[in-house]
Amino acid sequence: MRTLIAPILLAAALLVGAAEAVGTGSHRPGGELTEYAVDNLDPLGGTSSVGFSVNNRGWVAGRSNLLGNQSRHATLWRNGKLTDLGTLGGANSAVLWPVKNVGGVVTGVAQTAEPDPLNEKW
C-alpha cells in the first residue's frame, strides 16, 4: 500500500489548479498513520504549469508559461513562494528531471539567445 501512496501524492501535489485538500491519511505497515496535504502551485501567469520534482523539503521544480507570449520558464515553488528561474537569453527553460536536492541546487535546460553558440556538431 505504501508504494501506491507516494506516486499518487506526488501526482496530486503537482497538479496546478487542483483544489486544496487535506487528506485524512493512510495506515503504514505497523499501524502508523501518515498525514499529508495537497496545495495549489501558482502559475507565472500563462495557461500551463507543471512540476516535475519534489524534494524532502517540499520544494517543487518544473516549468510555467508566461502570460502573453506563452514562453516556458523554469520555475521553483518553495515555501509557498513562486520563483521564475529565467532562461539563458532564449525563450524557454525548464527543470525536467526529478531531483531530491535540498541544498538549493536546481538543474535543467534553457535556450540561449544565440542558436548553437559553441558551433557543436550534434
Side-chain angles (χ1 to χ4, degrees), residues 70-88:
Q70 292 300 307
S71 61
R72 295 176 174 183
H73 279 203
T75 309
L76 178 65
W77 293 267
R78 178 179 53 186
N79 304 324
K81 295 186 181 182
L82 172 64
T83 303
D84 180 350
L85 299 177
T87 69
L88 295 176

Side-chain angles (χ1 to χ4, degrees), residues 47-101:
T47 59
S48 173
S49 289
V50 63
F52 291 113
S53 177
V54 179
N55 72 10
N56 293 343
R57 292 185 178 179
W59 301 357
V60 178
R63 61 107 183 127
S64 186
N65 287 45
L66 300 179
L67 182 61
N69 64 11
Q70 292 300 307
S71 61
R72 295 176 174 183
H73 279 203
T75 309
L76 178 65
W77 293 267
R78 178 179 53 186
N79 304 324
K81 295 186 181 182
L82 172 64
T83 303
D84 180 350
L85 299 177
T87 69
L88 295 176
N92 300 294
S93 65
V95 178
L96 300 173
W97 306 280
V99 178
K100 297 295 274 180
N101 181 284

